[in-house]
Amino acid sequence: MKRLITILIIAASATCQLQAQKGLHVNDIFEGKLVPQSQMVETIVRGKELIRYKLSYFHSARMKADDNIVRKIDELMRLDYTENLPDLLAEKRIEGYYMQSESKNLPGKKPVKTHMAMLPSKGNIHRFICYKRKGDELTFIYMEGTVASITELKDILNN
């Protein structure tokens, strides 16, 4: 009986975690449709550990990614962002919807590429998708919380 209850709790927990980014094109990344899940390192964090970052949910997938995979991820992000743009504009949230940066190719350093996008809020919860690519390693992240903009999120994560 204890095993059955434990299994049901684990299944319910996994279902809740998958609901956060359900309906987004970028969910394909977490489902292993671009890179097999066996070749990714996934991290899911909820709760008190995130409070100081003004976040309530953090889901990341780290993987090796060639230019083809990065192009596919860029396209998925673009689809989610553009499909949700009317809702973002309706929220009248102007600051920092989308941010892209790329470091210079410095001698002896791997180039770094970063993309961040804000999605429409769910009530008071703001949603963000982003990735950072350094060389052939890419980390894709979906986040939720009370952070008001990409600019604020970037400031919080850099401190």
Side-chain angles (χ1 to χ4, degrees):
M1 186 65 164
K2 287 182 182 180
R3 279 190 199 174
L4 177 61
I5 292 172
T6 303
I7 290 170
L8 290 174
I9 290 171
I10 291 170
S13 173
T15 301
C16 289
Q17 292 168 351
L18 294 175
Q19 296 300 319
Q21 60 273 346
K22 187 177 180 183
L24 297 175
H25 295 283
V26 295
N27 196 40
D28 288 356
I29 298 163
F30 295 115
E31 291 179 352
K33 293 181 180 176
L34 298 181
V35 173
Q37 286 183 316
S38 62
Q39 297 175 18
M40 293 189 296
V41 176
E42 257 185 291
T43 304
I44 299 173
V45 183
R46 284 187 176 274
K48 293 180 183 180
E49 297 86 13
L50 297 172
I51 290 174
R52 65 182 161 156
Y53 301 109
K54 294 184 173 182
L55 296 172
S56 55
Y57 182 74
F58 175 95
H59 188 177
S60 71
R62 192 177 74 234
M63 66 201 82
K64 297 283 184 194
D66 59 21
D67 290 339
N68 188 41
I69 296 293
V70 174
R71 276 192 294 278
K72 289 177 183 177
I73 291 172
D74 283 338
E75 178 62 16
L76 293 174
M77 283 184 71
R78 187 191 64 73
L79 286 170
D80 282 330
Y81 178 73
T82 55
E83 286 177 4
N84 288 290
L85 191 57
D87 294 330
L88 283 167
L89 294 173
E91 289 181 14
K92 297 183 173 125
R93 301 172 88 240
I94 301 165
E95 183 187 3
Y97 286 122
Y98 194 80
M99 188 177 292
Q100 175 180 343
S101 65
E102 196 162 344
S103 73
K104 297 177 182 174
N105 293 339
L106 301 172
K109 301 250 181 177
K110 293 181 180 179
V112 177
K113 181 178 181 179
T114 305
H115 280 240
M116 300 177 84
M118 184 173 196
L119 300 173
S121 304
K122 288 184 176 180
N124 293 332
I125 301 298
H126 307 301
R127 305 179 306 151
F128 302 89
I129 50 177
C130 61
Y131 75 79
K132 186 172 195 169
R133 180 184 188 198
K134 187 172 186 179
D136 65 346
E137 187 169 288
L138 183 137
T139 303
F140 183 84
I141 304 169
Y142 172 89
M143 293 174 277
E144 294 180 350
T146 58
V147 179
S149 69
I150 287 179
T151 305
E152 182 182 358
L153 179 64
K154 192 173 175 186
D155 289 344
I156 289 169
L157 296 177
N158 284 336
N159 288 333

